[in-house]
Amino acid sequence: MPKQHAYEVEEHPFELRHEVKRLNTRLDKIADTLERADFKDIIENYMNPKRRMITNFTAGLARGLGLTVGTVVVLSLLGYLLSLFVDLPLIGDYIAELQGYVDNAR
């Protein structure tokens, strides 16, 4: 009769028990990870197209709003910092010219 398993119970009972304990520990860790990840909620969200569309739409709005606000903050700080250099001879002339274009555009 050929061997079907790497370990036979009669030959290595301790190793089998040790292997089973190790696998049970590993399965418990996987189960805990899946419970913490709310795998059930993920599957329900994936199976419900309406809920998925609402979630993706909301995420897109949040990203767009965040990008817009971040851009405004960075450009405002950059404009403020550039306005501090208006008194410098070479850079100041260039920035003053840019400010003139902005004022004319308004």
Side-chain angles (χ1 to χ4, degrees):
M1 193 157 114
K3 285 187 178 181
Q4 294 179 354
H5 303 287
Y7 298 110
E8 291 294 327
V9 177
E10 293 82 22
E11 293 178 11
H12 305 287
F14 178 74
E15 285 84 2
L16 276 176
R17 283 193 301 255
H18 179 70
E19 187 72 16
V20 168
K21 281 184 181 180
R22 189 178 70 80
L23 289 174
N24 280 339
T25 304
R26 191 120 187 233
L27 283 173
D28 288 341
K29 286 181 182 178
I30 290 171
D32 289 341
T33 303
L34 288 175
E35 285 177 9
R36 274 188 270 124
D38 293 328
F39 196 65
K40 180 182 173 187
D41 291 337
I42 292 170
I43 289 176
E44 285 177 2
N45 191 24
Y46 182 74
M47 298 300 286
N48 188 350
K50 183 178 178 183
R51 185 174 176 185
R52 193 173 23 165
M53 287 186 346
I54 291 172
T55 302
N56 286 334
F57 180 72
T58 306
L61 282 177
R63 286 186 193 110
L65 181 63
L67 182 67
T68 303
V69 170
T71 303
V72 165
V73 168
V74 169
L75 290 178
S76 299
L77 286 174
L78 184 65
Y80 173 73
L81 288 175
L82 286 176
S83 70
L84 296 176
F85 293 109
V86 171
D87 297 335
L88 295 177
L90 184 62
I91 299 172
D93 294 336
Y94 181 70
I95 294 173
E97 187 178 332
L98 286 176
Q99 282 181 340
Y101 289 137
V102 171
D103 290 339
N104 287 336
R106 289 183 190 175

